[in-house]
Amino acid sequence: MSDEQLRPTQLPLNDLATAYVQAGQTLFLAIHDDIAARVRLAHPEAEYLEIGIDADGDVELHGIWSAQESAIGTCRLLYDPHDDPEQEWRDGPLDLDELVDDLGRVLTDSFLHHWGVVEPHPVYEHRDRRWLTLPPADRAATVAAIVRHHVPDAESLICRFEAHDGRITVGFERVGVVGGETVSIPCPRCSPETADSPWPHDVSHELARVLGQLYALQHLRSRHLTSCVDLASEHEGQLWQLVFPYRGAASDRTPRP
């Protein structure tokens, strides 16, 4: 029995609970990606959804927004819900009823909040609404763009993923650069006072969010992450390498609202 893979019902309760939470995270992320694909089919520049929840707990769509047009600019409203039948052409191929139903499914639990894609509305007057960030079209290219902003010659990233309190946490090991050299990334848990990290702490959070999603979605993990061994690592456990796209590959990183 020890050499055979256990059925879910044979797992210890703690492990079964962890597997359930991870499956929920993956499912909700997949629905989130599907929502984003449908929204962008109608509005290719879409980056955010403005969401409200009424007194009965039903989701309301208040707007579809673009990214900020500059560091000091604002998002552009791409779609404003309306009741005028003559303006229905603006919806394009978007089925709004189906979209709202799916938004209600993913917003009834806290899974998307764990990924940081559901935030308070950036405008104080609408603080009762929520701001839903759509995922980048290419997470690997987005990670590459963020890392190369701080390490221009970066070609790959080695990191580890751990399940912690029902969430996927990301630990960074090193960046591979042109010529086979590497740049170490000090572990904040091992060396909390270090100041020689290649990027600020808030960038680590931004990277961890995208990498965690990439790891949680099996089809993206198998496409972009390769199991590897790093003898220089101070940590035990599985390491993964993300090889960056060629330079010039499109990045969908957008400024935060």
Side-chain angles (χ1 to χ4, degrees), residues 31-32 34-40 42-43 49-51 59-64 79 91 93-107 132 134:
I31 296 174
H32 185 219
D34 182 63
I35 288 171
R38 282 182 280 145
V39 169
R40 285 172 171 153
H43 304 282
L49 302 183
E50 183 181 0
I51 305 296
V59 168
E60 299 175 319
L61 178 66
H62 290 280
I64 299 174
Y79 169 77
D91 300 342
L94 192 61
D95 185 326
L96 292 178
D97 291 336
E98 183 181 78
L99 175 67
V100 169
D101 285 344
D102 285 344
L103 286 169
R105 295 173 63 194
V106 297
L107 293 174
L132 180 67
L134 300 182

Side-chain angles (χ1 to χ4, degrees), residues 18 22 25 115 159-173 187 189-190 208 211-212 215-216 233-240:
T18 298
Q22 290 177 345
Q25 288 182 334
W115 293 111
C159 51
R160 63 189 185 281
F161 300 90
E162 302 172 357
H164 182 67
D165 292 336
R167 304 183 187 185
I168 296 174
T169 61
V170 181
F172 300 101
E173 292 289 331
C187 174
R189 288 183 294 178
C190 302
L211 284 164
Y215 179 83
S233 174
E234 300 178 358
H235 306 94
E236 297 180 356
Q238 182 65 62
L239 296 177
W240 298 84

